[in-house]
Amino acid sequence: MPTSGSIFNWITSQADILNNVANNLPSVQRLISGFAYIMGIGFAFKAMYSLKTYGEMRTAGSQASIKEALTYLIVASVLIYMPTAVQIVLMSSFGSPNILAYSPVSSSNAGINVLFGGSAIGLPLTIIIQTIGLWSFVKGWVMIARTASGGGQQQGGISKGLVHVMGGVFALNIVETVNIINNTLYGT
C-alpha cells in the first residue's frame, strides 16, 4: 500500500513531465503555424491553377464549376492569414479576440477543480490543449480544401472539417471554454 508521501511524489513527478512537455510546445506551435503558411501558399497556387482550368473549360463550351477554385482560395487566405482568422473566429465564438491566459477555475465539480483549479498540472495542461487546438484548426481547413477536388472523398468532408475548426477554436481558448461549461452546468 503506497503511503501518502509516495503518492505526492508520484503526482509531482507527473506534473514535472507535463511541465517539460509544455515548455517545448511553443516551438511546436510556431512549427504548425509555419506549415499552415506554406500550405496556404500551396493552396493559393492550386486555386490559381483551378481558375485557369475553369477559364479554359468555359471557353471550350463545357460546363465547369468554380467551386474548387473558390474553396482553395478561401482556405489559402485563412491559412496565410491564420492569426487574423483565429481572432475573427474567437470574436464570433467568445465575444473577444484574445485567447485567455491560464487562471485557476473555482468550480463545484471536483474534476474541473483537480485539472484547472490551480493545481500543478493546470498551466501545462492548458498549453498542451491549446497546441492540439491549433493543430485541429489547421487540419480542419485542410480537410475542407480536400473536399474541393471531390476525387473519391467521403460524404460530409466539409462538415467534418468545420467540426475540427470549431473544436480547435474551443481548444485554443480552453480557459474560457472551461469557464463557460463550469458556469452553465455548475453555476458561478
Side-chain angles (χ1 to χ4, degrees):
M1 180 63 82
T3 63
S4 63
S6 66
I7 291 175
F8 179 74
N9 290 336
W10 181 81
I11 291 173
T12 305
S13 68
Q14 301 305 313
D16 289 341
I17 292 170
L18 283 177
N19 278 322
N20 290 338
V21 169
N23 288 338
N24 293 315
L25 288 180
S27 299
V28 173
Q29 290 175 351
R30 286 190 295 275
L31 183 67
I32 293 170
S33 297
F35 278 135
Y37 291 129
I38 292 169
M39 286 188 294
I41 291 169
F43 287 144
F45 283 123
K46 176 69 174 169
M48 295 304 144
Y49 179 74
S50 296
L51 283 172
K52 176 188 169 286
T53 305
Y54 173 74
E56 290 173 350
M57 292 179 80
R58 293 289 292 176
T59 58
S62 67
Q63 294 294 330
S65 174
I66 197 165
K67 172 191 161 217
E68 180 180 8
L70 287 178
T71 304
Y72 279 121
L73 196 60
I74 289 168
V75 171
S77 63
V78 167
L79 292 179
I80 290 172
Y81 296 105
M82 192 174 64
T84 305
V86 168
Q87 287 180 347
I88 290 170
V89 177
L90 283 173
M91 185 65 177
S92 298
S93 302
F94 296 107
S96 172
N98 300 325
I99 295 174
L100 295 180
Y102 173 73
S103 60
V105 176
S106 176
S107 174
S108 59
N109 181 344
I112 291 176
N113 277 339
V114 167
L115 293 177
F116 296 102
S119 66
I121 62 170
L123 179 61
L125 187 62
T126 299
I127 293 171
I128 291 168
I129 292 172
Q130 287 173 340
T131 304
I132 293 169
L134 183 64
W135 174 257
S136 179
F137 183 81
V138 172
K139 180 182 178 184
W141 285 108
V142 171
M143 289 173 73
I144 291 169
R146 289 181 58 195
T147 62
S149 300
Q153 294 295 322
Q154 292 180 348
Q155 292 289 349
I158 291 177
S159 60
K160 289 178 186 177
L162 288 175
V163 167
H164 272 80
V165 168
M166 290 311 297
V169 168
F170 291 142
L172 274 170
N173 204 0
I174 187 64
V175 174
E176 186 62 24
T177 302
V178 168
N179 284 331
I180 289 171
I181 292 170
N182 180 45
N183 292 336
T184 301
L185 298 178
Y186 304 104
T188 55

